[in-house]
Amino acid sequence: MSMTCRRLLSIQDISCLGQCSLTVALPILSAAGHETCILPSAVLSTHTGGFQGNTFRDLTEDMPLIAAHWLREKIRFDAICTGYLGSAAQIRHVLDIFRTLKGDPCVTFVDPAMADGGRLYRGFDMAFVKAMKELVLQADIILPNITEACLLTGETYRETCDPAFVHRLIRSLREQGAGTIVLTGVSYQENRTGVMVLEGETEFLYEHPLLPRLCHGTGDIFAAAFAGACMRGIPVKDSAILAADFTLRCVERTMNDPAHWYGVHFEAELPRYIQSLAGSEN
Ligand code: PXL
């Protein structure tokens, strides 16, 4: 087995159409060279951002059964990554999985995918936020956006950030017990955005252009590209840069296709992602 091939578990929903959650995490983590196991928490006909009347098959009951089978088979994971989860009950199952299926060592990544643009996604409430906070505090690495960081800390959401506000958010998350924090959507200027990393006591900001189109699924793409890179042994800071650049290129590819409103064209960027991983390893 190659030194860099890890066994990863991605826990989130399958939105059958919509280029988000498992349909982007699986190809991206596989492209990064990892054995990618999945635990689908629900099956939806589409994601909930912009489509109306999507189906929702709740797989909450299957989650502990699947985990128990793996436990009997003595399966353990080198990393467990979570994204969109449908309910507090699902979060409790994930907490159990963290207790039972982590390898030694294991890195846990939690993207508290529940809100954006100052608003919770459809179907979530503050009880869900409270449960998500518990999961966030168990993770080695968390990837909230600004809205999610506000919800997790009780800060009031703002359209425009300033360094003092961002510093308060990451410090507050850390004081509550968060490990490494990768905060996305940190924008200090109109045409720029970026990602703030707090690892140990080191803060690092990577800024890049904000493209004139907000796209669905970019958080999921960033999280998968980031986790894939980290698990190749690439340092957190470099993994954040690599994932941000990849996400940006995916959005660039989608900008000239206004009909493609529900996701981004990430597929054709996978070869360059793979190259950039190889380039960052040396
Ligand atoms: O991209 C995050 C996400 C994942 N899964 C589902 C969603 C969303 C965002 O709206 O609705 C089902």
Side-chain angles (χ1 to χ4, degrees), residues 9-15 21-22 38-44 56-64 66 81-87 89-91 93-94 97 124 128:
L9 173 60
S10 179
I11 310 177
Q12 51 191 323
D13 69 284
I14 296 180
S15 291
S21 43
L22 277 181
I38 59 167
L39 180 41
S41 54
V43 179
L44 294 78
F56 188 102
R57 176 70 58 195
D58 188 346
L59 298 179
T60 305
E61 282 177 32
D62 295 76
M63 293 174 73
I66 293 168
C81 314
T82 76
Y84 183 101
L85 296 167
S87 64
Q90 293 192 346
I91 292 175
H93 290 316
V94 172
I97 288 167
F124 292 141
F128 180 84

Side-chain angles (χ1 to χ4, degrees), residues 133-147:
K133 195 154 144 182
E134 210 180 314
L135 183 61
V136 155
L137 298 183
Q138 290 296 317
D140 296 309
I141 305 183
I142 60 170
L143 300 105
N145 60 32
I146 295 280
T147 306

